Amino acid sequence: MWQHLHLYIAACTIYGLLMPALGQTPHIETVPATKTYYRAREKNVDLLCRADKPIDRCLVRIPGYPDAPETDGYDVSVGLPNGVSYYGGSLARGECGVRLASLRADRIGKFVCVLEIGGQRHEAAIEYGIQVEPQPSVLKISKQTAFIDGGIRANQLVKARCVSRRGLPAANLTWSLDNGPLDAALIQPLESSEELVDGQLLQTVQQEVHIYVTPQDNGKTLVCETQHSALGKKSQRIILPLNVKFAPEAIPHIRIAELPESGSATVNITIHANPQPTTRWRVNGRVLNEGETVDMYQAFIPRQTGASEYAVLLKNSDCALERSSMFTLEASNALGTQTYVIRALKVDDEGEPLQDNSVDDDSAGGGSAFWLISVWTFFCSVIATRLL
């Protein structure tokens, strides 16, 4: 038993002696801590190794300076090559570094500091290089995209790819749609590759976005912006205007107040389409193409009021001769035709219909249902006519 106890005490004593020695391994950090890229001919580039214990001796290996007097490099306490000076606090404070007066392409790579601390040697390294501005970015649209009439057909998935080539380090790509950040769910993972050019591994990055394009996207802009340290505060911006093509859209339940008993009135309908539609009115057996006048009716050419938005007006110059209660409007472009039926109803002082307006529109609109837009009375129509 006593023999076992002696062995246990001896083991504990050895463990107690070894633990302080094991705990003496210094912690060493570098500044900068990760691979860093500088501008060509950058002045005063600082490279520092820092330990949490005093340094007895420090040697450094500097890229582009192969003629160091010792195998492990230059002893900073003895001397450094031209264009290199000491940087940092004293060795006693645990610091050892160099300052490069000017950075050159033939003097980049891995800086190594060899620290002697407590009779042991420790190494730390800093990698650095020169920034390379990437080539102008490119924004491509998938060949599977359906185009029509010089634009993108609505209601399809559009894939756009932004490519930034041969930069160092890799460029950063960001997306926006109509001046707002693009939904992250639409952005695909970033792809990167390397290419050896003049001894440097230049990096290319590319990324896709998948957007389901609808008529509401017409007129918006998709932007890929490339940020890179070599560009400074500037950036490369590639802009894709979304020219979305679609047939005139249906409008449910168009109801207007009945026309006045005398004077003039103008029916005003807003249509969404791209490209601009051509229009035709039908009123009590009359057919009026845009720009035409028949009897007391005048059909105006559609006027664009916004992206893919057009105001279509029909004027009755003498309501005393005729007050129609129904108007039919046809709007057509390269993608299709839409028929709109407008019913004029009696309304109360608050604009509410005084009669049942649940009339079936199947007879004059192919089953389409429509919604109230507006009607201008004599006073308003005079102003509108002057403006037109």
Side-chain angles (χ1 to χ4, degrees):
M1 176 179 177
W2 288 107
Q3 184 179 5
H4 290 162
L5 180 59
H6 290 159
L7 289 173
Y8 176 76
I9 293 174
C12 289
T13 302
I14 293 171
Y15 179 77
L17 292 174
L18 287 176
M19 282 306 294
L22 294 174
Q24 289 177 357
T25 302
H27 171 72
I28 302 173
E29 62 181 12
T30 63
V31 181
T34 58
K35 188 170 184 178
T36 305
Y37 294 90
Y38 300 93
R39 296 189 302 271
R41 300 292 179 181
E42 178 96 11
K43 304 295 184 182
N44 298 327
V45 175
D46 296 329
L47 308 171
L48 178 67
C49 295
R50 181 185 292 131
D52 60 353
K53 296 182 182 301
I55 301 171
D56 301 321
R57 187 174 183 231
C58 175
L59 296 97
V60 293
R61 295 197 295 268
I62 310 169
Y65 294 93
D67 300 327
E70 299 189 41
T71 303
D72 285 328
Y74 293 89
D75 187 330
V76 298
S77 300
V78 176
L80 293 168
N82 291 333
V84 181
S85 59
Y86 183 81
Y87 173 76
S90 65
L91 299 184
R93 291 176 53 188
E95 293 188 354
C96 176
V98 299
R99 169 171 289 175
L100 308 180
S102 179
L103 198 62
R104 289 171 29 179
D106 59 343
R107 292 178 178 175
I108 58 175
K110 182 184 291 186
F111 165 80
V112 178
C113 56
V114 181
L115 309 180
E116 292 186 4
I117 301 174
Q120 294 183 335
R121 307 188 82 178
H122 308 274
E123 287 191 6
I126 302 172
E127 287 192 72
Y128 59 94
I130 293 179
Q131 300 168 356
V132 177
E133 181 177 331
Q135 297 177 352
S137 301
V138 176
L139 185 58
K140 303 178 181 179
I141 300 297
S142 170
K143 293 180 179 179
Q144 298 176 348
T145 305
F147 292 91
I148 186 170
D149 193 35
I152 301 172
R153 183 185 288 273
N155 303 317
Q156 65 170 312
L157 184 67
V158 174
K159 299 178 181 181
R161 176 180 290 262
C162 186
V163 184
S164 175
R165 298 185 183 279
R166 295 185 173 183
L168 196 63
N172 181 45
L173 304 180
T174 57
W175 295 87
S176 61
L177 181 64
D178 218 27
N179 297 322
L182 191 63
D183 186 347
L186 306 178
I187 303 175
Q188 305 306 302
L190 188 71
E191 302 174 20
S192 61
S193 60
E194 293 181 332
E195 183 179 354
L196 186 62
V197 179
D198 296 332
Q200 288 186 294
L201 276 177
L202 303 186
Q203 300 182 5
T204 293
V205 291
Q206 51 188 314
Q207 192 171 47
E208 277 192 5
V209 293
H210 296 175
I211 304 175
Y212 191 81
V213 175
T214 67
Q216 288 69 37
D217 294 317
N218 182 51
K220 294 181 179 180
T221 54
L222 177 65
V223 178
C224 174
E225 187 167 359
T226 301
Q227 293 98 13
H228 192 274
S229 52
L231 297 171
K233 295 182 179 180
K234 299 179 181 180
S235 62
Q236 297 176 356
R237 300 180 81 243
I238 307 296
I239 301 175
L240 174 65
L242 295 180
N243 183 15
V244 183
K245 302 290 186 173
F246 57 97
E249 292 186 309
I251 306 173
H253 304 303
I254 301 180
R255 301 289 185 264
I256 62 175
E258 67 175 350
L259 275 59
E261 295 181 358
S262 62
S264 65
T266 302
V267 179
N268 176 22
I269 306 299
T270 298
I271 292 176
H272 290 87
N274 187 33
Q276 177 172 331
T278 57
T279 56
R280 175 185 298 167
W281 290 90
R282 298 181 186 274
V283 188
N284 289 340
R286 302 177 185 85
V287 177
L288 293 90
N289 293 317
E290 58 184 48
E292 292 184 346
T293 299
V294 178
D295 297 335
M296 71 288 296
Y297 293 103
Q298 179 182 1
F300 292 91
I301 296 174
R303 177 169 52 88
Q304 188 167 4
T305 55
S308 64
E309 182 179 277
Y310 299 89
V312 186
L313 280 66
L314 176 70
K315 180 181 178 181
N316 182 338
S317 59
D318 192 348
C319 294
L321 293 178
E322 180 175 290
R323 298 168 62 205
S324 178
S325 61
M326 187 174 73
F327 308 86
T328 302
L329 171 64
E330 293 179 359
S332 303
N333 64 15
L335 286 90
T337 299
Q338 188 65 248
T339 301
Y340 308 89
V341 177
I342 303 100
R343 297 184 183 278
L345 306 175
K346 289 184 178 181
V347 295
D348 58 22
D349 294 339
E350 296 181 356
E352 295 296 327
L354 293 176
Q355 65 189 73
D356 181 15
N357 61 356
S358 59
V359 182
D360 195 352
D361 287 330
D362 289 348
S363 62
S368 299
F370 306 94
W371 173 53
L372 171 62
I373 302 299
S374 69
V375 61
W376 292 346
T377 58
F378 171 75
F379 178 74
C380 294
S381 66
V382 171
I383 297 176
T385 303
R386 288 177 181 173
L387 290 174
L388 294 170

